[in-house]
Amino acid sequence: MVNAFEGLIDRFLGSSAEFEQKLRAVRSEQWCRPTPCTEWNVRQLVNHMTRGNINYVSLLHGGSAADFLRLRDADALGTDPVGAYALSVRECAQAFGETGALQRVLDYPLGPVSGQQALALRVTDSAVHTWDLARAVNLDDTLDGSLVAWIEEHLDAIYAGSPETPTAVETTHRFFAAPDGVLANNSSPQTRLLHRMGRTSARGH
């Protein structure tokens, strides 16, 4: 795991910027469209991302896993979804940039993790949900190749010690959708990653 988590805050900001770019292209009539996350429409997906950033800040400052889950779907967007998301990114990056934040042990819903592992989980979540958002509103769904390669290379380290992971053969799939179908041998890194996260590249949902 040597250097696996180097430059995490920059990776978080990069993945968040990709999501924000898609978010800014959402038209008013698209907020209720379904997403590849079947339980969420577009607004609910954006709220999940925004609320998630807020909840990670709370964990860093001593918040509990119970509070994290209780507030998971509470509205964080108000009347300005783009502004609310952008603010949550800035506040999350600032919190993880505090002295010692990456070394703190957080009461994460999937079990105690260090701040750096929590942020790595956040980066992964951001990347996958960027694809979800792009699919939902018919935008280019190509993710940053270097980010995809980093996630794929370090997926085991990112989810190390977690009882619920996209890398485990046997898991409850409470937090991660089950892979569907069999991948072709020549699948791209992005397709392989999305498959592990229970996504299919086929259009239509």
Side-chain angles (χ1 to χ4, degrees), residues 5 8-9 56-62 91-107 113-120:
F5 295 149
L8 267 180
I9 293 178
Y56 272 69
V57 173
S58 177
L59 287 181
L60 275 173
H61 296 155
E91 291 180 343
C92 194
Q94 181 179 1
F96 276 100
E98 293 171 2
T99 302
L102 296 178
Q103 287 71 48
R104 291 176 202 159
V105 176
L106 312 185
D107 184 24
V113 296
S114 67
Q116 68 175 2
Q117 187 175 358
L119 187 54

Side-chain angles (χ1 to χ4, degrees), residues 125-171:
D125 201 44
S126 294
V128 174
H129 286 319
T130 295
W131 184 87
D132 291 332
L133 180 59
R135 277 302 172 107
V137 296
N138 294 320
L139 298 172
D140 180 8
D141 61 16
T142 305
L143 300 174
D144 177 76
S146 63
L147 181 62
V148 169
W150 176 81
I151 294 171
E152 187 177 40
E153 180 180 357
H154 299 296
L155 208 56
D156 288 330
I158 291 169
Y159 289 97
S162 174
E164 171 83 4
T165 84
T167 64
V169 176
E170 293 186 7
T171 187

Side-chain angles (χ1 to χ4, degrees), residues 30-94:
Q30 294 178 317
W31 287 102
C32 292
R33 294 193 65 171
T35 73
C37 297
T38 55
E39 70 270 33
W40 295 325
N41 61 24
V42 170
R43 183 182 172 90
Q44 290 166 326
L45 174 65
V46 175
N47 189 67
H48 168 75
M49 288 292 291
T50 306
R51 173 55 62 183
N53 288 335
I54 294 169
N55 286 347
Y56 272 69
V57 173
S58 177
L59 287 181
L60 275 173
H61 296 155
S64 69
D67 286 341
F68 187 106
L69 294 174
R70 179 175 59 82
L71 296 170
R72 189 167 182 249
D73 297 318
D75 181 65
L77 301 182
T79 59
D80 182 13
V82 176
Y85 175 73
L87 177 61
S88 77
V89 169
R90 292 194 298 271
E91 291 180 343
C92 194
Q94 181 179 1

Side-chain angles (χ1 to χ4, degrees), residues 168-187:
V169 176
E170 293 186 7
T171 187
T172 65
H173 296 299
R174 190 161 67 100
F175 291 94
F176 303 100
D180 183 31
V182 179
L183 280 178
N185 291 332
N186 61 346
S187 295

